[in-house]
Amino acid sequence: MIGYWGKVKKGIVVLTVLALIGSMATTGIMAKKNEKNIKGNLVIVGGALGSSNSHVYEKFIGLSGGKKEAKIGIIPSASGSMKSSVQFKEDLISYGVDEKSIEILPFSSHDFKGTEEDESKWKKNAENHHITKRIKKLTGIWFVGGDQLKITDTLMKENGERTKALEEIWGIYRKGAVLGGTSAGAAIMSDVMITGGDSLGGLRQEFTTEDVSNPEDEYAPVYIEKGLGFFQWGIVDQHFNERSRLGRLAATALRYKTADEKLAYGIDEDTAMVVNNQEGTISVLGRSNVTIVDTSGSTTTGSGIRDLDISYLSPGDKLQVKTKEFTIAEDKVETKEYEYYNFKPLPATGVLSSYGTLPYYLSYSLVDNEAVEEVSSYLYDSKGNGFELIFKQTDETNGYWGYEDGQKDSYSILHVKMDVSPVKVNFSDKDRLQQDFKKSTLDVPKSSFDPETKGSLVIVGGALGSSNEEVYNEFIKRAGENGKIGVVPAASSSLKSSHAFKEDLTSYGLSAENIDILPISNHDFKGTEENEEDWIDNKNDPDLAKRILEYDGIWFVGGDQTNITQSLLNEDGTNSQVLSSMWRIYRNGAVLGGTSAGAAIMSDVMIAGGGSYDTLSKGFTENYDGMSQQEGGPGYLEKGLGFFPYGIVDQHFDKKARLGRLIATTAVYGKENELSYGIDEDTALILDNASKTVEVKGRGGVSLVDLSQSDLSPSTHTYKDIRLSWITSGDQYNVESKEFSISDHKVSTKDYEYYEYSAAPHTGVLTPHPALANYLSYSLIDNAGQDEVKSFSFSQGEGFQLTFRKGNQTEGFWGYRDGNKDDYSFLEVEMDIDPVTVTIEDN
């Protein structure tokens, strides 16, 4: 994939729509001829393929003939170096392919970094019979990521015709070979190749056949070139959800739709779209989604779009292309008329929007939510010129839900309609919001923590994947390979999650005989004959309290955190006998851990409910209405168990956009010079009391909020000079010395920023890199073109402006992990929150 705005700026070319269409016709982009009877298959990956993604690797190897028979060629031409090709070769070997059966093919139109040879001379190899004939023996070919134009420049002649190498590739593809690729290697698969641009440029219906991206502009027109056309059934885009490319794919699909092709496909990172040409099917493998955009029933008026049809497929799902028939994985159940949620979601207006990436927002806030039939978001530049996005349910809309990789939610969605309307969004300063900020009456008693405590904590932000070896091994290591574990089921509505955690521990080597599900609860569980509500008195059962002393580790499953505290604290707030025993083994060296609700209980101040926007604007409530309050409303606080003594903890942090509520809570209850900690899903914060360090393990990150230098006025909804840091796996923070230690696989980006462009504000679900940590990493920290970026969160004419800026102490760090995935950390981004008035006009 080309750098976000492109590193090389070519001459600016302004194209009218008519001139554009004429240009494209002459370059042959629209002149497509479908091949008949292709026996080969495609494995098209949306980028950032993890070395650990066994489903994708094994599928590619299987379609290549299997470990013993596969003969695979890797085409390195998209990349700037040989690193990604060597990495892919090593990955194939790790999955069982003989090293002698894999070769990196000498095709390139440019020189690679870090090699003695001048690979630009390889361009002529595409016409060299002695080299191209090596392709005939291959059963699979893989295109690595980078710049898709370097692939087409290598394999196509200047007149658009195929080189001998490309003809040979087509030859083995027709006969049964599998072709695959990631990122740029995915972009080249369709005949219409999206080479650059973003959703804002696409929705403005600006297209070009030359690279006219300008780093000083906050958007880029959609740049179209001719691809290699292996994929016969529409247009492909990649890095799809991560870079919010729905707008650019939809606009491209509308521009180029033909009588027989009205579907377009957006593939997320670490996810594969597997194409079976003989069966006419597309199936999904990997860790995320493939988006299907259907333009057949949509219309355009000016800059507006109506009734664009959007579906999301997740791993295990399949599409029959000609009939547009979807087959959803059998382990998912329909949500229609069985919606789990019932809450009024706020518009997705920026980094404080829960479920701020589009598939999550549509899944939780619309399709699996019986309270609404439509939701909205925005996309605009720093002058407010942009679009309102409306997502609607119709009679055809349906959702499907299941678990994947343990207890992670997995959604598929069919037929959500999308409308796009041009608007102008105006912001003006405001002294304070109309809503009064209400303080909490929570009285937090003195901490029970003993500074001599020898034990440790493994605090997971929720949705812990069964495959998250790093986190499970950390918990087991601290408990001991022969350790005895007690699982506290109290937070959940059933025993399912407790049994699943026990099974996961046994899969990592613990004996099932050493793992007990403890009779601790304040409510009855579904699906059992026993009434677990009777367990409430067990909190002070001497025998159970004595039994707890035998354990080397205690685990709290997820659910409703108030059920845990009610099951372990006495009515007067004092520790029960069972809780006192947990404190005793913790002091003596046991590990305590928990996920989701089991993370929330770890600090003295327990955040039990509320959303970011409502907590910043309304403050806190004394009323708690159960799990529905997890999705929004003012903050609700209770006394936690206090095992983590170094600040307030929050969880599901990025996915549910809880930065605002953690800031508001810390402003009222944070102790001087203490940080607060927001833990992402499938991620653990490890506290080692002996070394006074916290370390991150897992797939996401931990946000650290520092208000020690801030000017805070919750009553006027104003917060100045917040410091925000984000650390990922291998990074550490010393709670005593206040020093960070960044994993040595990362390098500092300061004064070595990779990007240089003007970043549009974060405005909603189609903002590039919509997750806050990624938005700040790509748009601010690793971007020499910005010293500050903004986001907005608003509802009913007022809201907040969030300003993030580089300060003297701000520093970013970058490296690769799990193959070629970007891995960022950053320290001390400065942040302000100010109230604003918002007006929206048709444009």
Side-chain angles (χ1 to χ4, degrees), residues 172-186:
I172 64 171
Y173 177 42
R174 292 187 193 100
K175 293 177 181 178
V178 60
L179 308 183
T182 182
S183 187

Side-chain angles (χ1 to χ4, degrees), residues 15-70:
L15 296 174
T16 66
V17 172
L18 291 176
L20 170 66
I21 294 174
S23 171
M24 290 180 176
T26 57
T27 58
I29 292 175
M30 300 180 71
K32 177 179 178 180
K33 181 181 179 181
N34 279 357
E35 296 272 343
K36 299 289 187 181
N37 199 31
I38 297 173
K39 295 179 180 178
N41 302 296
L42 300 173
V43 177
I44 311 175
V45 177
L49 175 61
S51 299
S52 64
N53 196 330
S54 59
H55 293 294
V56 174
Y57 277 96
E58 288 170 0
K59 187 67 173 181
F60 180 73
I61 293 167
L63 292 173
S64 297
K67 300 174 185 178
K68 302 298 183 183
E69 302 297 329

Side-chain angles (χ1 to χ4, degrees), residues 356-667:
T357 63
L358 185 55
Y360 290 154
Y361 187 65
L362 295 184
S363 297
Y364 293 95
S365 298
L366 180 64
V367 176
D368 202 12
N369 180 15
E370 66 178 337
V372 294
E373 293 297 321
E374 67 177 46
V375 292
S376 63
S377 185
Y378 296 87
L379 180 66
Y380 48 83
D381 61 21
S382 59
K383 295 181 180 178
N385 295 311
F387 300 89
E388 180 184 51
L389 315 170
I390 303 293
F391 302 94
K392 305 176 294 185
Q393 298 194 71
T394 69
D395 291 340
E396 291 183 308
T397 305
N398 205 347
Y400 301 83
W401 168 88
Y403 279 132
E404 65 177 349
D405 190 18
Q407 296 189 60
K408 294 181 179 181
D409 289 335
S410 176
Y411 279 101
S412 303
I413 299 174
L414 301 184
H415 305 304
V416 168
K417 300 294 185 182
M418 173 183 171
D419 292 345
V420 179
S421 302
V423 295
K424 175 70 180 290
V425 186
N426 302 295
F427 299 96
S428 56
D429 295 339
K430 190 177 177 72
D431 291 336
R432 54 173 293 165
L433 302 186
Q434 295 179 0
Q435 181 73 48
D436 288 335
F437 184 93
K438 295 182 180 179
K439 295 183 178 180
S440 172
T441 60
L442 176 68
D443 183 17
V444 182
K446 186 177 179 180
S447 174
S448 303
F449 185 79
D450 181 350
E452 300 300 317
T453 295
K454 299 176 182 177
S456 54
L457 299 176
V458 176
I459 312 174
V460 178
L464 175 61
S466 297
S467 65
N468 197 327
E469 183 178 357
E470 195 174 49
V471 173
Y472 277 98
N473 284 344
E474 190 71 31
F475 182 74
I476 292 169
K477 179 184 75 173
R478 292 175 181 274
E481 292 184 1
N482 297 311
K484 193 170 177 61
I485 307 297
V487 181
V488 178
S492 185
S493 59
S494 76
L495 288 174
K496 183 177 180 181
S497 54
S498 298
H499 285 296
F501 185 72
K502 181 175 180 177
E503 291 172 3
D504 287 341
L505 289 177
T506 58
S507 74
Y508 284 99
L510 282 188
S511 169
E513 295 178 353
N514 286 354
I515 308 167
D516 298 326
I517 297 174
L518 300 172
I520 298 172
S521 178
N522 66 338
H523 62 282
D524 190 26
F525 292 133
K526 298 175 184 176
T528 62
E529 294 182 2
E530 184 175 3
N531 183 0
E532 289 82 8
E533 189 175 359
D534 296 336
W535 289 357
I536 187 64
D537 294 331
N538 289 348
K539 69 173 77 172
N540 287 305
D541 183 324
D543 292 334
L544 182 58
K546 183 178 179 181
R547 181 176 157 194
I548 296 294
L549 298 177
E550 302 173 1
Y551 290 107
D552 302 290
I554 299 288
W555 185 267
F556 299 88
V557 301
D560 184 339
Q561 47 264 52
T562 64
N563 287 333
I564 301 177
T565 53
Q566 289 173 23
S567 298
L568 289 174
L569 291 170
N570 294 319
E571 290 186 7
D572 62 359
T574 58
N575 292 348
S576 66
Q577 292 184 45
V578 165
L579 182 56
S580 294
S581 291
M582 291 179 182
W583 269 106
R584 184 173 171 183
I585 63 171
Y586 178 39
R587 291 188 187 102
N588 290 335
V591 58
L592 308 183
T595 182
S596 187
I601 53 99
M602 291 291 178
S603 49
D604 282 305
V605 176
M606 181 177 78
I607 304 177
S612 279
Y613 181 84
D614 287 329
T615 304
L616 284 170
S617 59
K618 300 175 182 177
F620 299 91
T621 179
E622 304 304 311
N623 301 313
Y624 182 64
D625 59 3
M627 291 297 290
S628 65
Q629 199 159 331
Q630 301 296 318
E631 306 308 318
Y636 176 70
L637 307 178
E638 283 195 4
K639 170 182 163 55
L641 301 186
F643 298 125
F644 183 79
Y646 299 111
I648 300 168
V649 168
D650 208 349
Q651 23 74 48
H652 296 280
F653 198 69
D654 178 69
K655 190 172 184 180
K656 297 194 177 184
R658 286 175 165 169
L659 175 63
R661 81 173 193 179
L662 183 59
I663 289 171
T665 303
T666 305

Side-chain angles (χ1 to χ4, degrees), residues 90-160:
E90 291 174 354
D91 289 342
L92 290 174
I93 294 168
S94 73
Y95 282 99
V97 180
D98 191 315
E99 181 178 1
K100 296 178 181 178
S101 298
I102 310 165
E103 64 173 314
I104 298 173
L105 298 169
F107 296 126
S108 177
S109 62
H110 64 283
D111 190 25
F112 291 132
K113 297 176 183 176
T115 63
E116 294 182 2
E117 185 174 358
D118 181 2
E119 289 82 7
S120 65
K121 296 178 181 178
W122 287 1
K123 183 172 175 60
K124 62 184 179 182
N125 289 347
E127 294 290 352
N128 185 319
H129 174 71
H130 295 290
I131 294 174
T132 60
K133 70 179 181 179
R134 288 153 55 180
I135 295 171
K136 290 180 182 291
K137 68 179 182 179
L138 300 176
T139 60
I141 287 182
W142 186 265
F143 298 87
V144 302
D147 180 346
Q148 47 263 55
L149 286 176
K150 291 178 179 176
I151 301 176
T152 55
D153 186 42
T154 299
L155 294 177
M156 294 178 68
K157 300 177 183 178
E158 290 185 5
N159 62 3

